Amino acid sequence: MAKKNTVATLLAMKANGEKISQLTCYDYSTARLVDAAGVNSVLVGDSLGMTMQGYETTLPVTMEEMIVYGRSVARGCRDAFVIMDMPFMSYQRSVEQAVENAGRLIKETNANAVKLEGGAAVTAQIRAIVDAGIPVCAHIGMTPQSVNAFGGFKVQGKGEENARRVLEDALAVQRAGAFMCVLECVPPKLAGLITKKAEHMITIGIGGGADCDGQVLVYQDMLGMSGEFVPKFVRRFAEVGDIMTQAFRDYDAAVKDGTFPTAAQSYVKSDCADEFLQTLDAEYGTEAAECRN
Ligand code: KIV
């Protein structure tokens, strides 16, 4: 029988060499489906700025928005471990700001952990949030909140100097107390090396190859709901976008040609007697007649 995933059960999975599954999620009904499928962890990513709100980057997402989406997700998860992303500029300014906002995300959504982007540069924030009793997932490699600094969504850790920097970031966030770290768009051999060196920290790959302890994908990407562009690291496990579009087309046609609804979708059994309806018809006349009076 499935049971609640916790920091301890997830770390035990790493220790036993069992792979960990994670998906993004932003609403209650999807969270219920992901949870029922047995996915270990759900990430309320600030990617919701792009997937749910239609922005080009994650930068405009606010704390208030994260809390609204996060609450709905947490209500839909029984067993999955729920991680809340800290949005851009909710933790960068100071350690105090980071602890306060991490606390809000946990208190106001009922999630289990927070995630923040950055390596060595944010270790003071990670340490302070962990000291406040909140588990932290770090995020290194291609960190979307730094899209302007990177000059686009680009693979990180290529070349010796960059590879060393990504490894040092991983070790720094582990030392600061992160129990989990997302490795985004990092060459697979480097991600494998980090996973081996990170003895007390779970690595979750997204474009990080098969040697990470687990994998995360944006659910709209893996369901084929996010349009034409498909990042290299995505596998489409279904074409739900096509199924939904066809269903919307069928509905539109059925409403317009009168084949929806039928008696099966109507409250026929509780209908009033025909004679009574005729009485009402006669009694009330037409609305137009009423208006003329
Ligand atoms: O915001 C997000 O969804 C993420 C994942 C892509 C790791 O950070």
Side-chain angles (χ1 to χ4, degrees):
M1 202 180 85
K3 63 176 170 49
K4 178 73 188 170
N5 290 272
T6 64
V7 170
T9 63
L10 295 170
L11 283 169
M13 287 178 76
K14 173 177 174 105
N16 295 334
E18 288 171 57
K19 294 286 186 186
I20 295 165
S21 55
Q22 186 176 92
L23 279 174
T24 67
C25 207
Y26 318 101
D27 69 277
Y28 172 75
S29 43
T30 312
R32 287 187 56 189
L33 299 175
V34 172
D35 189 75
V39 172
N40 297 112
S41 172
V42 157
L43 170 66
V44 186
D46 62 354
S47 51
L48 66 83
M50 300 167 82
T51 57
M52 305 298 286
Q53 299 178 322
Y55 291 121
E56 285 187 359
T57 71
T58 59
L59 304 184
V61 177
T62 65
M63 278 289 295
E64 277 60 37
E65 288 167 340
M66 289 303 302
I67 287 167
V68 171
Y69 287 97
R71 264 187 202 140
S72 316
V73 171
R75 281 189 211 114
C77 289
R78 193 190 58 181
D79 299 325
F81 186 85
V82 180
I83 303 176
M84 290 295 303
D85 230 347
M86 299 195 69
F88 182 55
M89 290 320 286
S90 70
Y91 58 93
Q92 286 92 341
R93 208 164 48 227
S94 69
V95 167
E96 290 71 27
Q97 183 207 24
V99 175
E100 183 171 339
N101 283 326
R104 277 196 71 194
L105 289 173
I106 298 298
K107 252 175 118 81
E108 297 182 39
T109 68
N110 200 29
N112 307 114
V114 298
K115 173 167 93 56
L116 50 84
E117 296 184 9
V122 291
T123 50
Q125 283 90 331
I126 293 176
R127 193 166 290 121
I129 296 171
V130 171
D131 285 347
I134 300 171
V136 173
C137 173
H139 183 163
I140 62 172
M142 206 291 288
T143 45
Q145 291 177 13
S146 303
V147 59
N148 289 318
F150 292 146
F153 297 107
K154 293 179 179 163
V155 177
Q156 300 298 306
K158 287 203 279 193
E160 289 177 18
E161 197 184 320
N162 286 333
R164 183 182 298 279
R165 186 179 46 75
V166 176
L167 174 61
E168 282 173 2
D169 275 343
L171 297 178
V173 296
Q174 173 174 241
R175 275 196 300 272
F179 83 101
M180 181 182 271
C181 183
V182 170
L183 306 180
E184 180 159 358
C185 296
V186 169
K189 283 189 183 151
L190 175 60
L193 177 65
I194 292 171
T195 301
K196 199 169 82 184
K197 296 277 175 207
E199 286 167 34
H200 311 294
M201 183 175 75
I202 295 156
T203 60
I204 299 286
I206 176 162
D211 290 336
C212 296
D213 297 313
Q215 300 292 328
V216 62
L217 283 177
V218 169
Y219 90 82
Q220 287 93 340
D221 287 348
M222 57 83 75
L223 289 184
M225 293 171 65
S226 49
E228 295 298 294
F229 175 71
V230 185
K232 183 172 168 56
F233 55 75
V234 171
R235 180 188 294 173
R236 287 192 177 201
F237 286 79
E239 293 300 336
V240 174
D242 290 346
I243 294 171
M244 286 174 75
T245 306
Q246 191 53 52
F248 296 146
R249 254 189 220 120
D250 293 347
Y251 168 77
D252 176 69
V255 169
K256 287 172 179 162
D257 69 17
T259 55
F260 174 82
T262 65
Q265 292 96 36
S266 307
Y267 296 98
V268 182
K269 283 196 182 132
S270 53
D271 252 355
C272 305
D274 287 352
E275 310 86 78
F276 178 62
L277 289 178
Q278 277 163 17
T279 315
L280 283 185
D281 190 8
E283 216 175 286
Y284 280 78
T286 67
E287 193 65 20
E290 290 293 315
C291 292
R292 274 196 303 274
N293 293 336

